């Protein structure tokens, strides 16, 4: 009886130690990510080259801005929400190579849409991109968020 009791206590202590160790490793990983200037989102380590563009005060028909993808972060996620009365188109084009990684039209329905390019179709080269919103007959309103990751979305 004492032998069985000691085995149960030993097994419970080992389980608690393993759980504590895993929790400690996860916590250490989160601290490392934040110290390196990365933002932890879900299971992805996102580098700080995120474009968060709010178009709510936009007065330009076809606004544009630049955005940089650093080497080693070729997995791109683009979230777009159109809060205006007219649809608009978002184009993300590499400045040097002319590669267009996104060319998407977003309807004026107020629903956010996610687009993903995991370094394929087309390949995502590092460097500076120009992000242009084409409003057509209206001034675009909404949000465009671009994020680069070293892990596929």
């Amino acid at each position: 009886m004492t032998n069985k009791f000691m085995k149960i206590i030993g097994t419970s202590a080992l389980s608690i130690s393993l759980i504590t160790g895993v929790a400690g490793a996860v916590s250490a990983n989160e601290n490392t990510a934040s110290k390196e200037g990365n933002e932890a989102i879900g299971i992805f380590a996102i580098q700080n080259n995120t474009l968060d563009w709010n178009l709510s005060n936009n007065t330009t028909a076809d606004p544009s801005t630049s955005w940089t993808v650093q080497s080693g972060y070729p997995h791109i996620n683009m979230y777009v929400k159109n809060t205006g009365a007219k649809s608009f188109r978002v184009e993300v084009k590499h400045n040097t190579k002319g590669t267009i990684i996104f060319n998407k039209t977003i309807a004026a329905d107020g629903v956010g849409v996610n687009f993903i390019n995991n370094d394929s179709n087309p390949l995502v080269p590092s460097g500076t991109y120009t992000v242009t919103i084409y409003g057509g007959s209206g001034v675009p309103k909404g949000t465009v968020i671009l994020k680069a990751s070293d892990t596929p979305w």
Side-chain angles (χ1 to χ4, degrees):
M1 173 88 169
T2 304
N3 216 4
K4 283 185 179 179
F5 182 71
M6 292 306 287
K7 284 182 182 178
I8 291 171
I9 290 176
T11 303
S12 298
L14 178 61
S15 297
I16 291 169
S17 295
L18 288 173
I19 291 169
T20 305
V22 169
V26 168
S27 176
N29 189 28
E30 287 173 359
N31 290 338
T32 302
S34 64
K35 286 179 185 172
E36 292 174 359
N38 292 335
E39 176 185 346
I41 297 178
I43 59 170
F44 304 112
I46 309 298
Q47 196 173 32
N48 284 339
N49 59 351
T50 299
L51 171 69
D52 188 352
W53 193 7
N54 184 349
L55 300 168
S56 61
N57 294 323
N58 181 37
T59 57
T60 307
D62 297 333
S64 65
T65 190
S66 64
W67 177 62
T68 301
V69 173
Q70 294 185 1
S71 183
Y73 290 81
H75 308 290
I76 310 302
N77 185 346
M78 181 173 75
Y79 171 82
V80 182
K81 184 173 183 178
N82 185 347
T83 58
K86 303 273 185 176
S87 64
F88 63 80
R89 183 169 58 93
V90 180
E91 179 184 82
V92 181
K93 183 177 181 179
H94 193 274
N95 289 354
T96 307
K97 297 186 178 194
T99 304
I100 297 174
I101 60 170
F102 291 115
N103 185 10
K104 302 292 182 181
T105 300
I106 295 68
D109 57 10
V111 177
V113 184
N114 236 12
F115 301 101
I116 294 172
N117 185 333
N118 280 323
D119 198 25
S120 60
N121 207 13
L123 293 176
V124 179
S126 61
T128 304
Y129 287 79
T130 298
V131 182
T132 307
I133 311 285
Y134 295 99
S137 61
V139 175
K141 301 287 183 195
T143 304
V144 177
I145 300 173
L146 282 159
K147 294 185 179 186
S149 173
D150 60 349
T151 308
W153 299 94

